[in-house]
C-alpha cells in the first residue's frame, strides 16, 4: 500500500513542566530546526509548531491543519530581544504589555521586519508575537532557535486542543512529534491586541481582558467591532476570526435569560428533538444539571467559576463530536473576566444561533 510511505510516524513524548526533559526537548528542537513539525503545550491551548523563519515550515503547518493560507500564524518567542529581530517600529505600549503580561496569554500585532517570511504572516505586513508561559513551550522555542510559528494544533474547523489526546486525534501521522504536557491551564486561545494603528485594539478576547490592558497602559483600548456583533458587515482584522472556527458537528444553540426560563426552554427543545430521534447534548452548570434529561448532560463547572468553564469548553465540544450528538443546547454563561472569551467562542461555535428567553 504505497500511501503508507507518505505517512509520518508521530512520536508522542510525555513530559512535565516541573522537570522538563532536556533530551526530549533537544530532539524536538532539532526536528523544528530541520523543517519538521512538533505540537506542544502552552498555557492557553496546544500549539502546532514549525520554524517561523522557514517558509517551508509555515507551508507545512497550513497543510497539516488544512488551514487557509491567508490566515496568519502567531510567532512564539522566549526572550524579549526576539521582538527586535522580527518586528520593526516597536511602540512603547508593546514594552509595557510585555513587562506586565509576558510570558503569558497575550499576543501582540506589530509591523513585521523582512526576517519573517510572508508565508508565516499570511501575506500581511504585520506579525503576531507571543511569549508563552508554559516551561515546556519556552524550552522548545529556545531549542528551536527562538522563533516558532504555532497556531492551535487542531485541524481547521475543530475546537482547539486542550490535551495531547486531542492533538493525536487530529494530527497523528501528519507531524513528527507531540509533546504531551497534560491538560492545559486556561483552555482558550490568547488575547490578541493590535498595536499597529495608534490606539490598541483587541482582535480576539482571551484571559487578558480589556480592563487588564487598560489598567497597565493607563489608556483606552478598543475592541474590534466584528467581535461584538454577529454580522457587522465588516471583515474582522484578525483574518482567522472570519472563519467559523470551533464548530461542533451538531447544530448548536445558546440560550440566554433567567435561569428558570433558560432551563425550561432548553428542556422543551431537548424533548422535542429526542422525540424526533435526534441525539441531544446539553452544556450547563453544576447548579442546573439536575433540571435536564437528555442523551448527554454535561456541567462545565459552577456558574461563578468562569475559569473552569473556559478550561472545559473545548473538551466538551470534542466529546459531543465523538458521541455524534446532532443537537447541542448550551446555557449562556457569565461574561465576567475570561467569561467574555468563553461567550465569544461559544457563540462562534453556535454560528451565532441564539435564543433570548
Ligand atoms: P491560532 O494560531 O489558531 O490561535 O490563530 C491565530 C489567530 O491570530 C488567527 O485568528 C489569526 O488571524 C490571528 N493573527 C495572526 N497574525 C495576525 C496578524 N498579523 N494580524 C492580525 N491577526 C493575526
Ligand atoms: Mg486556531
Amino acid at each position: 500500500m504505497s500511501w503508507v510511505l507518505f505517512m509520518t510516524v508521530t512520536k508522542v513524548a510525555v513530559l512535565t513542566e516541573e522537570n522538563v526533559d532536556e533530551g526530549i526537548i533537544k530532539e524536538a528542537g532539532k526536528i523544528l530546526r530541520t523543517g519538521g513539525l512538533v505540537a506542544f503545550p502552552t498555557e492557553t491551548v496546544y500549539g502546532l509548531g514549525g520554524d517561523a523563519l522557514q517558509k517551508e515550515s509555515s507551508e507545512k503547518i497550513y497543510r497539516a491543519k488544512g488551514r487557509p493560507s491567508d490566515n496568519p500564524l502567531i510567532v512564539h518567542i522566549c526572550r524579549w530581544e526576539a521582538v527586535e529581530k522580527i518586528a520593526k517600529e516597536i511602540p512603547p505600549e508593546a514594552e509595557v504589555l510585555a513587562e506586565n503580561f509576558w510570558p503569558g496569554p497575550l499576543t501582540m500585532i506589530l509591523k513585521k521586519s523582512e526576517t519573517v517570511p510572508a508565508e508565516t504572516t499570511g501575506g500581511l505586513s504585520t506579525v503576531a508575537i507571543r511569549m508563552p508561559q508554559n516551561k515546556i513551550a519556552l524550552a522548545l522555542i529556545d531549542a528551536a532557535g527562538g522563533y516558532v510559528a504555532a497556531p492551535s494544533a487542531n485541524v481547521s474547523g475543530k475546537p482547539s486542543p486542550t490535551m495531547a489526546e486531542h492533538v493525536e486525534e487530529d494530527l497523528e501521522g501528519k507531524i513528527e512529534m507531540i509533546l504531551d504536557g497534560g491538560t492545559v491551564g486556561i483552555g482558550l486561545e490568547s488575547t490578541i491586541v493590535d498595536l499597529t494603528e495608534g490606539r490598541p485594539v483587541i482582535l480576539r478576547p482571551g484571559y487578558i481582558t480589556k480592563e487588564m490592558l487598560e489598567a497597565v497602559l493607563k489608556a483606552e483600548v478598543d475592541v474590534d467591532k466584528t467581535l461584538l456583533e454577529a454580522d457587522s458587515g465588516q471583515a474582522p482584522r484578525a483574518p482567522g476570526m472570519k472563519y467559523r472556527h470551533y464548530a461542533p458537528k451538531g447544530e448548536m444553540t445558546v440560550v440566554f435569560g433567567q435561569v428558570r426560563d433558560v432551563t425550561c426552554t432548553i428542556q422543551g427543545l431537548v424533548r422535542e428533538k429526542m422525540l424526533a430521534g435526534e441525539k441531544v447534548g446539553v452544556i450547563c452548570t453544576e447548579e442546573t444539571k439536575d433540571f435536564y434529561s437528555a442523551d448527554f448532560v454535561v456541567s462545565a463547572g459552577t456558574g461563578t467559576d468562569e475559569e473552569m468553564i473556559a478550561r472545559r469548553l473545548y473538551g466538551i465540544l470534542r466529546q459531543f463530536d465523538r458521541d455524534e450528538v446532532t443537537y447541542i443546547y448550551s446555557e449562556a454563561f457569565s461574561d465576567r473576566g475570561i467569561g467574555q472569551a468563553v461567550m465569544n467562542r461559544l457563540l462562534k461555535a453556535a454560528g451565532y444561533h441564539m435564543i433570548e428567553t
Side-chain angles (χ1 to χ4, degrees):
M1 292 206 291
S2 60
W3 62 267
V4 174
L5 295 175
F6 299 106
M7 298 254 310
T8 308
V9 176
T10 305
K11 176 169 176 176
V12 181
V14 178
L15 63 185
T16 62
E17 268 197 275
E18 291 70 41
N19 190 4
V20 180
D21 186 309
E22 276 181 35
I24 295 174
I25 291 296
K26 212 169 154 194
E27 184 183 346
K30 189 170 170 206
I31 293 173
L32 292 177
R33 283 172 191 267
T34 52
L37 304 184
V38 176
F40 61 96
T42 80
E43 67 277 20
T44 59
V45 299
Y46 272 75
L48 172 57
D51 185 343
L53 306 187
Q54 296 183 42
K55 70 180 175 63
E56 296 79 10
S57 297
S58 294
E59 286 164 352
K60 271 193 200 168
I61 291 177
Y62 288 114
R63 265 202 307 278
K65 278 180 67 82
R67 176 175 179 140
S69 59
D70 68 345
N71 186 358
L73 309 174
I74 295 173
V75 179
H76 291 67
I77 58 171
C78 58
R79 52 181 67 86
W80 168 258
E81 292 67 42
V83 176
E84 290 158 11
K85 178 159 168 182
I86 58 179
K88 62 177 186 197
E89 294 177 32
I90 301 172
E93 289 88 351
E95 289 183 47
V96 175
L97 293 181
E99 245 163 60
N100 284 278
F101 300 115
W102 276 3
L106 179 71
T107 297
M108 298 189 226
I109 310 284
L110 300 175
K111 296 209 170 104
K112 91 172 187 65
S113 75
E114 298 303 315
T115 321
V116 188
E119 284 73 9
T120 301
T121 62
L124 297 180
S125 59
T126 54
V127 59
I129 312 174
R130 174 162 106 89
M131 190 190 297
Q133 189 167 40
N134 182 292
K135 293 201 172 63
I136 300 168
L138 289 170
L140 176 69
I141 296 162
D142 197 24
Y147 306 89
V148 175
S152 49
N154 51 289
V155 297
S156 258
K158 287 253 221 136
S160 297
T162 52
M163 53 205 282
E165 287 76 7
H166 298 161
V167 182
E168 285 183 66
E169 193 174 270
D170 283 10
L171 297 174
E172 166 108 75
K174 294 185 186 169
I175 63 177
E176 280 75 11
M177 197 172 188
I178 298 171
L179 301 182
D180 179 351
T183 303
V184 300
I186 295 178
L188 296 181
E189 303 82 352
S190 59
T191 304
I192 301 181
V193 60
D194 186 346
L195 299 179
T196 62
E197 303 207 18
R199 199 196 276 211
V201 187
I202 293 177
L203 306 188
R204 177 171 75 183
Y207 183 84
I208 308 288
T209 60
K210 174 175 149 77
E211 293 70 27
M212 289 159 82
L213 295 172
E214 287 178 338
V216 301
L217 290 172
K218 301 188 175 55
E220 266 189 62
V221 171
D222 287 338
V223 177
D224 186 20
K225 273 200 196 68
T226 63
L227 297 180
L228 306 173
E229 303 157 39
D231 187 9
S232 62
Q234 269 177 282
R237 280 168 55 182
M241 300 300 276
K242 75 175 177 242
Y243 297 104
R244 186 176 169 236
H245 264 176
Y246 331 114
K249 286 185 202 149
E251 186 182 306
M252 183 162 156
T253 305
V254 182
V255 183
F256 290 77
Q258 300 293 323
V259 179
R260 219 190 120 82
D261 300 332
V262 169
T263 51
C264 286
T265 301
I266 292 182
Q267 190 53 40
L269 290 163
V270 169
R271 197 174 307 119
E272 188 188 306
K273 293 297 177 203
M274 285 177 69
L275 280 173
E278 302 289 349
K279 215 179 211 188
V280 186
V282 174
I283 309 178
C284 55
T285 62
E286 281 305 302
E287 294 81 9
T288 57
K289 65 178 192 222
D290 294 332
F291 290 116
Y292 301 107
S293 147
D295 295 300
F296 302 93
V297 176
V298 186
S299 158
T302 53
T304 48
D305 189 350
E306 296 84 12
E307 297 196 2
M308 172 72 81
I309 298 172
R311 203 174 303 133
R312 288 190 181 165
L313 179 65
Y314 285 151
I316 295 173
L317 293 177
R318 271 190 184 257
Q319 188 59 46
F320 280 167
D321 276 354
R322 272 188 231 121
D323 293 328
E324 307 202 317
V325 168
T326 52
Y327 281 88
I328 302 167
Y329 297 101
S330 177
E331 296 179 358
F333 298 108
S334 144
D335 63 1
R336 197 177 54 143
I338 195 177
Q340 278 176 28
V342 169
M343 288 310 296
N344 167 264
R345 307 308 196 274
L346 198 61
L347 286 171
K348 276 170 73 73
Y352 291 92
H353 202 217
M354 45 190 152
I355 295 175
E356 307 266 357
T357 62

